[in-house]
Amino acid sequence: MPKKRDIKEYSTDPAAQEMLLRAEELGIGTAFTRADAMVPCNIGGAGMCCKQCGMGPCRLTKSGETGVCGATLDTIQARNLTRSIAAGAAAHSDHGRDMAFLLKATAKGEAEGYSIRDVAKLRIVASKYGIKIEGRAPEEIANDLADLYISQFGQQTGEIVPATRAPKKRQQLWREQKVWPRGIDREVVECLHRTHIGDDQDPAHILNHAIRTALADGWGGSMIATDISDILFGTPAPILGQANLGVIKEDMVNVVVHGHEPSLSEMIVAASQTPEIIEYAKAAGANGVNLSGICCTANEILMRQGIPAAGNFLHQELAILTGAVEAMVVDVQCIMQALVGLAQNFHTKIITTSPKVKITGATHIEFDEHKALTIAKQILKTAIDNFKNRDRSKMHIPQIKEDVIPGFSHEYINYMLGGSYRASFRPLNDAIMAGRIRGVAAIVGCNNPRSSQDYLHNTVVKELLKNDVLVVQTGCGAIAAGKLGLLLGEAGLTEVGSGLREVCETVGIPPVLHMGSCVDNTRILTVLTQMVEEGGLGDDIDQIPAVGLAPEWMSEKALAIATYCVASGAYVIFGGASPVSGMPDRVSDSDLVLKFISEGWEKLYGGKLEFIPDPQKMIEATLAHIDKKRAALGLPAWEPNKFGRSGDWRMRELEALPLEKKREAIYG
Ligand code: NFS
């Protein structure tokens, strides 16, 4: 019998707890209760089920057992994992492709409402590929860059070009291992081919192609998506925003944008600020239109426009449960099908917009970049027209929200460390080399209703901060930290190790840097590359004292991210269940794939992927890895409380002393 958890076990977020109580009162199910009712299949969950052909599905539960075709458990697990990585890479990269077509349409003046907002970034990116920039209009440069980027998807031979931005030594390694992606689509297609019945049946060989496919995502499709989003909508810089369900407003038309691509959401932001829409909302009796975001769409418009985030992945249903949302506008990825049924309990309209995503029962208003502003206004008017249908007796908005400061692009980190005239990663490298900062952790990825929402994320973040580890975040992990108040200037600095605190105070940054959406994990690759190029931390990414973590992962995109980070040299730790864990109590030969993606990949790429469900063990493994990398670089071992008594803190201590002691302390 499945066990029903207590509401406090569902989520550590008080706003979520309040809404889950509300759901219970109304008798409405959510992903949390469905997770309780649905016991996961432990055979499929461990990658031990093969359904690649009509002779099965074959479930391999006994030692030495094979599928009907003779496929071993190792082969089946490698195939299953590789297919997931291909799906994740496809999702990110298809997003990147759409952005490339949008850039092309904008360059040709055919994209209504769009313009090139960051000409400086356009010029920097284009010049990396030898595109002529001097004496040319931004549209001409953008046209060439769009053509180059579009060609990366269908390229059949050669090397995709964004990967030339990796450290030189890493590029050499990819060539030696023959994993430099030829074309983004080609690698994804080859994944599907190789894992078809009767093809590639050597687990290590299959997994090596998973590496190549993931690289096509991280140093291809995702990097293209980030570049173009910045060029069209502006490179993020710190901006004040808010996060959590309390951003939904009682007196306004609430439109929640959910999904991933900034193309439509940016246009909805623009449309919502036009006099036409404001007047239309007022005429409907509302005080205007209030936009908020969920998932990575939230991150995209939060970090660029300061539009508040209503929450992360597990908040999508809870936002509708407030009864105050006129429309939830979705595009692609991480959209629960349950939204439509849930919305029927209220007046909320679920509006699908992507030609790739329809949900039965939802209203479909298809997005077209050639008339995006017109469509955005149509969507907003549909939401405004729905305002009159709101049943105020069903309304329940938790009054919980936090201020946040997101927007730490790698360009901004570079600038903030060195200033306009000497932008540089030197101070960060120096702080790591001295031991003020012990290392860096990128804590990213999803929520998963199988664990308590935000608990693993925030437990790991808080403990690493105490240990002088600088934390960068993206995706739903970043929103989790935001809801907890960790993305705010100096808030939370009292909970931070003294060395890290000193750096944060000197530079004026929060101890947790919000770097964007999940495709923006490429910004982290760029930061790591720039740290290598700055010098003092080795000559490749695998030497930097840094770890990547996805404590609450659930999507295939997360697996693709993990794999390209490993291929780039990072140690990656996932919480929750491993998709290739095997079932040791039932088979004895089930850990080859698990070992290969850890020890095997480490030998080949210097990075490894491990699944560690226990947060304390996750923290220990992170710190041990950071310390190991420090030692390998010959850096001093990290010591707690060694730093942190300079600058303002020193002044405060001195001020508290009686005059004589003060003299003594200053002059000796
Ligand atoms: Ni990333 Fe963004 Fe969130 Fe997970 Fe989904 S929103 S792309 S996949 S759930 S972090």
Side-chain angles (χ1 to χ4, degrees), residues 282-313:
K282 294 234 159 98
N287 242 337
V289 174
N290 178 45
L291 287 184
S292 59
I294 295 273
C295 281
C296 283
T297 293
N299 286 317
E300 297 279 359
I301 52 176
L302 171 68
M303 67 181 168
R304 292 201 180 85
Q305 313 290 350
I307 301 294
N312 44 8
F313 176 69

Side-chain angles (χ1 to χ4, degrees), residues 92 260 295-296 313 334 445-447 475-476 518 554-555 557:
H92 280 151
H260 284 78
C295 281
C296 283
F313 176 69
C334 302
C446 325
N447 286 144
C476 290
C518 283
M554 64 86 199
S555 84
K557 287 177 290 174

Side-chain angles (χ1 to χ4, degrees), residues 96-424:
R97 181 201 322 271
D98 284 344
M99 296 306 297
F101 279 114
L102 178 58
L103 183 66
K104 177 79 182 172
T106 307
K108 287 167 71 187
E110 293 170 357
E112 180 200 80
Y114 297 99
S115 62
I116 296 164
R117 283 204 209 141
D118 195 336
V119 176
K121 177 135 189 180
L122 170 69
R123 289 166 67 92
I124 290 168
V125 173
S127 61
K128 284 184 201 297
Y129 307 125
I131 294 173
K132 188 172 170 290
I133 55 170
E134 290 317 322
R136 298 182 81 201
E139 288 71 21
E140 288 177 279
I141 304 170
N143 189 55
D144 285 1
L145 182 64
D147 284 343
L148 177 71
Y149 272 175
I150 290 167
S151 75
Q152 300 305 296
F153 294 89
Q155 185 169 284
Q156 298 304 315
T157 54
E159 297 177 339
I160 58 164
V161 296
T164 54
R165 287 150 67 172
K168 292 279 169 292
K169 197 171 166 197
R170 183 83 2 204
Q171 294 183 33
Q172 194 51 39
L173 177 67
W174 292 338
R175 286 198 183 101
E176 280 162 20
Q177 293 298 331
K178 297 192 171 54
V179 292
W180 195 308
R182 295 155 292 187
I184 298 161
D185 295 352
R186 179 164 184 186
E187 307 313 345
V188 174
V189 167
E190 193 170 313
C191 261
L192 296 180
H193 179 189
R194 285 194 194 209
T195 54
H196 180 272
I197 159 79
D199 276 310
D200 204 356
Q201 287 156 65
D202 178 284
H205 194 242
I206 297 169
L207 290 164
N208 217 35
H209 190 68
I211 289 269
R212 195 175 202 176
T213 307
L215 283 172
D217 172 2
W219 294 90
S222 284
M223 196 164 269
I224 289 172
T226 299
D227 281 349
I228 298 177
S229 300
D230 286 355
I231 290 166
L232 291 178
F233 308 122
T235 300
I239 186 168
L240 181 64
Q242 290 184 321
N244 219 337
L245 293 166
V247 305
I248 292 172
K249 295 198 174 133
E250 208 178 309
D251 58 341
M252 296 176 90
V253 174
N254 289 296
V255 177
V256 180
V257 284
H258 169 24
H260 284 78
E261 297 178 346
S263 35
L264 174 63
S265 51
E266 279 281 346
M267 219 33 77
I268 290 181
V269 174
S272 73
Q273 291 159 1
T274 59
E276 178 189 344
I277 291 297
I278 295 169
E279 282 314 309
Y280 198 83
K282 294 234 159 98
N287 242 337
V289 174
N290 178 45
L291 287 184
S292 59
I294 295 273
C295 281
C296 283
T297 293
N299 286 317
E300 297 279 359
I301 52 176
L302 171 68
M303 67 181 168
R304 292 201 180 85
Q305 313 290 350
I307 301 294
N312 44 8
F313 176 69
L314 284 174
H315 268 39
Q316 57 187 287
E317 292 176 291
L318 309 183
I320 294 175
L321 274 158
T322 62
V325 174
E326 274 57 53
M328 181 172 276
V329 185
V330 302
D331 53 20
V332 293
Q333 302 166 23
C334 302
I335 302 146
M336 292 190 197
Q337 189 169 354
L339 293 179
V340 174
L342 178 72
Q344 281 161 5
N345 294 290
F346 304 92
H347 70 305
T348 309
K349 272 188 193 303
I350 306 295
I351 303 178
T352 51
T353 59
S354 167
K356 295 166 204 161
V357 176
K358 280 195 176 185
I359 306 176
T360 311
T363 305
H364 190 72
I365 303 179
E366 197 154 301
F367 173 66
D368 175 353
E369 69 257 33
H370 300 99
K371 38 186 178 135
L373 193 61
T374 308
I375 294 167
K377 284 182 184 168
Q378 186 195 344
I379 289 171
L380 289 176
K381 284 184 180 170
T382 307
I384 295 167
D385 290 342
N386 196 24
F387 183 65
K388 62 176 181 301
N389 298 323
R390 191 192 293 180
D391 179 349
R392 287 175 181 269
S393 70
K394 284 191 183 170
M395 215 163 66
H396 184 111
I397 306 171
Q399 295 307 310
I400 298 171
K401 60 185 174 193
E402 274 291 342
D403 285 345
V404 296
I405 299 183
F408 290 90
S409 53
H410 54 85
E411 287 89 345
Y412 192 82
I413 295 175
N414 201 5
Y415 161 75
M416 92 199 166
L417 288 168
S420 305
Y421 300 109
R422 50 183 178 85
S424 163

